[in-house]
Amino acid sequence: MPRCAVYPGTFDPITFGHVDVARRGLTLFDRIIIGVADNPAKSPLFDLETRVAMVQQSFTDETRVTVIAFNGLLVELAREQQATAILRGLRSASDFEYEFQMATMNRRLDASIETAFVMAREDYTFVSSRFIREISSMGGDITSLVPPPVIPHLHAKMQRA
Ligand code: ADP
């Protein structure tokens, strides 16, 4: 039975930090399903379709990664996809509190699904989607921090701003 994990997030937009987490996940699991959360509560900059497309375009070379959009319960998605684990990334102690609460809640909802954490690569610990959006909106260079397919989408947003 192949081991499969769901890697959920907002990916608004996907960064090299996210890519690193997924690739580390592939050393632990046979398949990773990247679940792009609709997450209207976060008022994402990019619509769901664009966020999914940017993630897909960032993994064209990796057949063991599947990208899907979802809304609703993460444990439901994991069950539907026959995943036995949830994959998340940790950058710093400040990520821990929220991640701990989410993992504990998900365990309450389904004790058979384990949450696995991988640590960010050192040079991406400061990379977040929020900083990418902010730096990009002010005309800063983010080319070393996001996969190339994300760049035209960020530029298009800047032109419209
Ligand atoms: P969410 O809204 O669910 O927090 P994000 O897209 O912001 O979605 O993040 C998804 C996951 O990826 C989280 O576990 C987050 O900690 C992790 N992550 C984001 N950026 C990085 C990074 N630079 N290095 C390691 N993990 C990261």
Side-chain angles (χ1 to χ4, degrees):
M1 181 86 171
R3 287 166 312 159
C4 174
V6 170
Y7 176 28
T10 312
F11 302 102
D12 186 36
I14 185 168
T15 69
F16 277 142
H18 292 122
V19 172
D20 181 56
V21 168
R23 292 205 189 282
R24 284 174 199 280
L26 285 172
T27 66
L28 302 169
F29 299 96
D30 301 308
R31 283 183 59 222
I32 301 286
I33 293 156
I34 301 185
V36 182
D38 192 5
N39 230 341
K42 273 201 170 178
S43 304
L45 175 66
F46 293 101
D47 62 30
L48 182 59
E49 206 178 71
T50 308
R51 284 181 282 134
V52 168
M54 289 188 287
V55 179
Q56 271 166 344
Q57 289 158 10
S58 305
F59 287 98
T60 46
D61 61 329
E62 188 49 81
T63 53
R64 294 189 298 145
V65 170
T66 310
V67 186
I68 51 175
F70 83 103
N71 52 30
L73 277 181
L74 179 56
V75 290
E76 290 287 343
L77 175 75
R79 282 197 288 252
E80 266 167 38
Q81 299 294 324
Q82 295 177 322
T84 53
I86 292 165
L87 176 69
R88 295 285 286 180
L90 285 177
R91 281 164 291 197
S92 60
S94 58
D95 273 346
F96 178 77
E97 190 60 38
Y98 172 70
E99 294 294 340
F100 177 75
Q101 286 178 12
M102 192 166 93
T104 308
M105 183 54 77
N106 283 327
R107 181 181 282 171
R108 257 298 165 87
L109 294 172
D110 190 331
S112 71
I113 299 171
E114 201 58 61
T115 300
F117 295 99
V118 293
M119 270 171 59
R121 197 171 114 177
E122 300 79 66
D123 37 352
Y124 296 145
T125 47
F126 67 97
V127 178
S128 71
S129 297
R130 183 164 71 91
F131 280 136
I132 298 295
R133 294 192 302 271
E134 285 177 10
I135 295 166
S136 171
S137 74
M138 291 183 273
D141 179 15
I142 38 74
T143 48
S144 61
L145 306 177
V146 296
V150 173
I151 309 278
H153 292 284
L154 279 168
H155 285 165
K157 284 285 177 197
M158 274 173 63
Q159 273 153 18
R160 247 172 271 146

